[in-house]
Amino acid sequence: MISAVHGFQFSAFDVQKDVLEAIRKNDTTYFIFDNYKGYCDAYEPKMPDFTATGRRISEIKCLEYIWELKKRENATERAELCEMYVINQVKKGNIPEYIFTINSPVIFGGRHAVAREFPHMGAIGWRARNTTKMWKKWVFKCGGTLISKNFLLTAAHCSKISLKGVFDIVGNEPEVVRLGLQVIEDNEFLLYGDPVDIEIKRFIVHPMYDPPKKYFDIGLIELVSEVKFMSNIQPACLWSYQNFQTLGKNGTITGWGSTEADSHSYALQVAVVDIIDTPQCDLILQPYRNRNWRGLRSHQMCAGILEGGVDTCQGDSGGPLQVKIPLDTDDHMYWVLGITSFGIGCGRINQPGVYSRVSSFIDWIEEHVWK
């Protein structure tokens, strides 16, 4: 926007920057500012060094993620207070109104991202086959967890899917990850905001995964470019201990899979499940053993509601079993305990879901993500 005052032309954006700089320096040569408390000052705190003897790289990264989350929240709060201060100065006549359009996003560089409950969730997409819905470019058949700026954690069996009886996609390998949205259907963008779609650079499958056997079902997706963390896109932390007792008896599952009505959900589904003792689960699932799955191994775990009705289902594969980290912030961050692997049907009585235990693969994950 170009404004003209007293015969001079200038960029309003440049003048806005000059005024904010004057506020920060308390320079009253041209304008009067009262009761300024520093909210418009540059906010660039230095991240502490979280390295410590015996602390894993994934634990260090988790502490860094939490620190960055709190920094973003503090920066947002300061920006809002700065905006309120400037608006108040305009209303008092201390700053000419022609310089600032009240509530204009130009002042502070854009709107604040809407905070999501599960900002680490990513939808893994396959290229859609041409259909009557010409706007539909991707079909999302798996979920994943953002764990760094360019890696997601998911299930190995999501690296390739059989095309037998599948008519909605072109190839058997995924090509893209969608981040930042709870509703992933293309025609919902105008309502819920634009998605962040990033192409997949490579899919790293655990070397001991041997389909159709249902063991070592864990994989990593490397993205072609790094993502920028914000309130609706931020990583989860990895739980690196075999013991879950300190976390309680419940976990949360999330995914875009089938619902009770046996229809695919474009809105992220959330449910709380019980973490089931491994020997008990192995005994419960004993009737379902076969040549591809001969019972639980140490790198697997179970979760579900034994009474039935709540479970991960088709389309939820690769998504996390997680526990919320208790933080004194408005944003959310989670520890990932397991990766959705397989189940016997969906939500059946005495048929809990089986998950790959993240702590059993922590060395392998760290080696690839933070090498």
Side-chain angles (χ1 to χ4, degrees):
M1 178 175 67
I2 302 296
S3 300
V5 179
H6 302 303
F8 294 95
Q9 283 195 335
F10 56 87
S11 164
F13 181 72
D14 290 338
V15 176
Q16 289 170 7
K17 290 195 298 183
D18 291 341
V19 172
L20 287 178
E21 186 64 23
I23 292 174
R24 295 182 182 115
K25 294 181 178 179
N26 197 28
D27 182 355
T28 58
T29 304
Y30 300 103
F31 305 104
I32 300 173
F33 311 112
D34 57 11
N35 197 29
Y36 176 58
K37 296 183 179 180
Y39 298 127
C40 298
D41 292 352
Y43 180 67
E44 288 296 334
K46 184 178 179 181
M47 181 186 292
D49 183 1
F50 291 108
T51 57
T53 303
R55 183 174 286 170
R56 307 189 66 104
I57 181 63
S58 57
E59 295 171 337
I60 294 171
K61 289 298 178 181
C62 182
L63 293 172
E64 290 179 357
Y65 295 159
I66 293 172
W67 184 88
E68 289 175 341
L69 182 151
K70 292 182 177 179
K71 174 190 171 184
R72 287 193 297 273
E73 191 170 80
N74 290 338
T76 298
E77 181 180 358
R78 289 172 63 91
E80 291 171 348
L81 290 170
C82 177
E83 183 174 12
M84 291 171 59
Y85 175 80
V86 172
I87 290 172
N88 188 47
Q89 296 303 299
V90 170
K91 290 180 177 179
K92 286 184 175 182
N94 293 341
I95 302 175
E97 190 170 349
Y98 64 78
I99 293 179
F100 286 96
T101 301
I102 293 180
N103 290 330
S104 169
V106 177
I107 297 177
F108 304 107
R111 66 174 178 83
H112 304 308
V114 179
R116 304 295 188 187
E117 188 178 4
F118 299 94
H120 52 273
M121 284 297 298
I124 302 172
W126 281 253
R127 188 171 297 277
R129 187 176 297 277
N130 289 334
T131 65
T132 55
K133 298 180 180 179
M134 298 305 295
W135 45 263
K136 191 178 183 70
K137 187 175 181 180
W138 305 108
V139 177
F140 299 97
K141 293 183 176 291
C142 278
T145 302
L146 187 68
I147 59 172
S148 78
K149 289 186 176 181
N150 58 335
F151 275 94
L152 282 88
L153 186 64
T154 187
H157 74 261
C158 291
S159 61
K160 290 183 180 180
I161 60 176
S162 172
L163 294 179
K164 185 177 181 180
V166 176
F167 306 104
D168 57 348
I169 59 175
V170 176
N172 65 348
E173 296 183 4
E175 298 183 35
V176 73
V177 170
R178 177 163 292 173
L179 298 165
L181 292 180
Q182 286 182 311
V183 179
I184 57 172
E185 181 64 311
D186 292 357
N187 62 353
E188 300 289 345
F189 291 171
L190 294 178
L191 182 60
Y192 295 98
D194 292 331
V196 176
D197 287 351
I198 304 181
E199 292 182 7
I200 294 173
K201 180 178 180 180
R202 60 173 176 156
F203 202 123
I204 306 170
V205 172
H206 192 276
M208 296 186 70
Y209 176 63
D210 182 23
K213 294 182 175 64
K214 297 183 180 297
Y215 296 108
F216 302 98
D217 188 10
I218 194 166
L220 291 164
I221 289 178
E222 184 177 5
L223 304 174
V224 296
S225 59
E226 293 186 347
V227 299
K228 180 181 179 181
F229 296 156
M230 56 191 79
S231 59
N232 63 325
I233 301 177
Q234 57 192 24
C237 293
L238 304 178
W239 184 255
S240 58
Y241 304 95
Q242 290 288 327
N243 195 321
F244 302 135
Q245 290 182 355
T246 58
L247 301 180
K249 298 180 179 180
N250 306 110
T252 301
I253 51 177
T254 46
W256 290 278
S258 300
T259 62
E260 293 178 0
D262 198 30
S263 60
H264 191 79
S265 173
Y266 294 113
L268 186 65
Q269 302 294 299
V270 182
V272 176
V273 292
D274 298 327
I275 298 174
I276 300 171
D277 183 66
T278 298
Q280 178 189 6
C281 183
D282 199 32
L283 182 62
I284 291 172
L285 295 181
Q286 188 172 359
Y288 305 100
R289 294 183 182 184
N290 54 51
R291 62 180 181 179
N292 293 322
W293 187 72
R294 300 183 181 277
L296 288 174
R297 293 189 183 177
S298 60
H299 68 269
Q300 295 175 312
M301 59 181 295
C302 290
I305 301 296
L306 295 183
E307 292 80 7
V310 178
D311 196 6
T312 46
C313 203
Q314 288 84 6
D316 293 323
S317 289
L321 169 66
Q322 61 223 314
V323 172
K324 187 176 180 181
I325 300 175
L327 300 174
D328 55 347
T329 69
D330 293 332
D331 287 326
H332 303 268
M333 188 165 284
Y334 291 81
W335 280 305
V336 179
L337 312 183
I339 300 299
T340 304
S341 180
F342 72 96
I344 314 298
C346 300
R348 297 178 182 175
I349 297 174
N350 283 331
Q351 294 179 4
V354 178
Y355 299 77
S356 297
R357 187 187 296 258
V358 170
S359 58
S360 297
F361 299 97
I362 199 73
D363 290 335
W364 178 77
I365 295 170
E366 290 180 346
E367 177 186 345
H368 287 282
V369 178
W370 297 292
K371 57 185 176 181

